[in-house]
């Protein structure tokens, strides 16, 4: 059932997620935004095992008073063994802060099939927001390559931007590294891709002590949730000597919801595969010397104040 289209502003999202703490905040931003209609959530293994990602997503949907369906997806990358990020997000992926994260039931239908059916069922209307490893999206593309021409936008939290640092190896970002083969399939698919890399997150979505105090001062169940689920990642950042944790999926979601303030570069990008130091590394043709046509809009900046204003609005 479609909500009334708010003056043509209604944005229809399908969110693919490995529901760790920052994913949950991003999902809350979408569910609580007046111009966004979330059609479905599809879970993928990444930060945590896929079963936990499903439960974390279902908890977040319930917290927001939504009945959006959550579907089970891939429980491992296409070729390599799953490496989770529980050392960052906590064993449950949501900060180990005591939330009841079990016993909720996912919807019928596997993630890749739901992606294909949702996109082909509303050609030109669906934005896919992928905030975990790209296994589900790659499987959907292998099953139905025609989704590449039917999807409206594909916003991906992934990669290291034009020349940013890696966060899981010196050169690779976690989502692209966990399933580099899937990331290559997506990069080469011809879909209208927009990459929001970890460089933009550390640049504009860093939760410093001041930003943390601003969020806590909102004093709502949503701001409390955002702080509580981030407790493990905040501790990890402190121990690593960072001035705070960053929010990669929420800033990617902010770009998906409102790209008007983002700066982008349209470049040819590929993703390196296989096991070794090149795994998941973005191959960015910065000067266009490679001769291949640019295929991706790489976000290079999104103003920090704009992002935090959107995050605060979601926490009101
Ligand atoms: O590199 C950051 C990404 O890896 C985010 O999506 C975070 O949730 C983890 O999945
Ligand atoms: Ca994620």
């Amino acid at each position: 059932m479609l909500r009334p289209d708010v003056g043509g502003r209604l944005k229809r999202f399908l969110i693919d997620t490995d529901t760790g703490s920052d994913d949950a905040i991003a999902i809350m931003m979408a569910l609580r935004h007046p111009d966004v209609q979330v059609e479905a959530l599809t879970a993928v293994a990444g930060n945590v095992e896929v079963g936990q990602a499903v439960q974390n997503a279902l908890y977040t949907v319930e917290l927001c008073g939504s009945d959006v369906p959550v579907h089970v997806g891939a429980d491992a990358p296409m070729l390599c063994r799953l490496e989770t990020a529980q050392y960052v997000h906590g064993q449950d992926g949501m900060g180990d802060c005591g939330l009841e994260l079990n016993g909720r039931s996912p919807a019928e239908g596997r993630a890749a099939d739901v992606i294909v059916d949702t996109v082909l069922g509303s050609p030109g209307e669906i934005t896919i927001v992928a905030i975990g490893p790209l296994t589900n999206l790659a499987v959907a593309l292998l099953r139905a390559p025609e989704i590449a021409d039917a999807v409206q936008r594909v916003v991906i939290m992934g990669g290291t931007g034009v020349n940013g640092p890696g966060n899981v190896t010196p050169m690779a970002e976690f989502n692209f590294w966990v399933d580099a083969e899937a990331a290559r399939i997506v990069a080469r698919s011809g879909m209208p891709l927009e990459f929001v890399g970890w460089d933009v997150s550390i640049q504009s979505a860093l939760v410093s002590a001041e930003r943390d105090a601003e969020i806590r001062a909102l004093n709502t169940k949503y701001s409390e949730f955002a702080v509580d689920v981030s407790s493990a990642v905040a501790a990890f950042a402190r121990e690593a000597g960072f001035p705070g944790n960053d929010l990669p999926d929420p800033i990617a979601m902010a770009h998906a919801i409102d790209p008007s303030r983002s700066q982008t570069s349209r470049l040819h990008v590929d993703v390196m595969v296989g096991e070794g130091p090149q795994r998941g590394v973005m191959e960015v043709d910065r000067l266009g010397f490679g001769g291949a046509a640019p295929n991706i809009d790489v976000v290079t900046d999104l103003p920090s104040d704009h992002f935090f204003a959107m995050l605060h609005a979601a926490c009101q």
Side-chain angles (χ1 to χ4, degrees):
M1 162 67 178
L2 273 184
R3 286 207 319 242
D5 188 345
V6 276
R9 290 201 321 267
L10 187 67
K11 300 168 193 274
R12 299 176 63 193
F13 284 5
L14 184 150
I15 302 172
D16 192 68
T17 172
D18 60 337
T19 330
S21 56
D22 64 315
D23 302 67
I25 296 168
I27 291 165
M28 182 173 78
M29 288 173 69
L31 289 173
R32 306 200 70 239
H33 196 284
D35 297 348
V36 172
Q37 176 164 299
V38 180
E39 304 291 329
L41 295 176
T42 51
V44 65
N47 283 321
V48 290
E49 305 279 347
V50 69
Q52 188 67 62
V54 167
Q55 291 302 321
N56 295 351
L58 284 164
Y59 180 94
T60 307
V61 165
E62 186 178 298
L63 173 88
C64 296
S66 169
D67 59 359
V68 165
V70 177
H71 298 270
V72 181
D75 61 4
M78 300 188 93
L79 292 181
C80 289
R81 193 167 49 86
L82 173 65
E83 300 278 353
T84 71
Q86 288 162 285
Y87 63 98
V88 175
H89 293 272
Q91 286 309 302
D92 65 13
M94 298 274 269
D96 293 337
C97 62
L99 299 178
E100 275 301 311
L101 299 167
N102 47 48
R104 294 175 178 85
S105 303
E108 291 294 314
R110 297 284 302 174
D113 296 333
V114 170
I115 292 170
V116 170
D117 296 346
T118 303
V119 170
L120 296 185
S122 301
E125 293 188 22
I126 303 297
T127 292
I128 294 173
V129 186
I131 52 178
L134 295 170
T135 319
N136 289 338
L137 192 46
V139 171
L141 281 162
L142 294 176
R143 194 201 119 188
E146 63 271 26
I147 63 170
D149 294 327
V151 70
Q152 186 184 73
R153 292 171 68 199
V154 181
V155 177
I156 291 172
M157 191 282 130
T160 48
V162 176
N163 55 11
N167 62 5
V168 66
T169 67
M171 299 283 286
E173 174 277 326
F174 180 78
N175 288 339
F176 282 12
W177 177 81
V178 165
D179 198 340
E181 289 72 22
R184 171 172 280 193
I185 288 170
V186 170
R188 295 184 174 185
S189 67
M191 287 196 287
L193 298 169
E194 301 165 51
F195 282 4
V196 184
W198 193 56
D199 56 324
V200 173
S201 180
I202 53 180
Q203 186 181 295
S204 298
L206 191 80
V207 184
S208 62
E210 295 76 20
R211 292 294 191 187
D212 180 64
E214 287 169 1
I215 297 167
R216 290 174 186 271
L218 297 172
N219 197 23
T220 67
K221 69 173 184 176
Y222 304 110
S223 61
E224 199 175 302
F225 173 72
V227 169
D228 290 350
V229 297
S230 301
S231 40
V233 68
F236 178 84
R238 274 195 303 277
E239 280 147 37
F242 290 156
N245 63 290
D246 60 294
L247 295 171
D249 295 340
I251 198 164
M253 186 60 74
H255 171 73
I257 293 169
D258 175 10
S260 66
R261 302 287 302 279
S262 303
Q263 302 293 322
T264 60
S265 292
R266 184 148 183 85
L267 297 163
H268 184 269
V269 177
D270 202 358
V271 179
M272 298 185 201
V273 296
E275 312 222 8
Q278 83 293 345
R279 180 170 184 75
V281 174
M282 274 174 69
E283 193 179 350
V284 184
D285 187 353
R286 292 169 184 75
L287 301 179
F289 283 4
N295 57 338
I296 293 169
D297 289 322
V298 179
V299 174
T300 53
D301 184 49
L302 192 160
S304 187
D305 287 345
H306 176 68
F307 163 66
F308 279 101
M310 291 182 73
L311 176 62
H312 291 178
C315 290
Q316 296 297 350

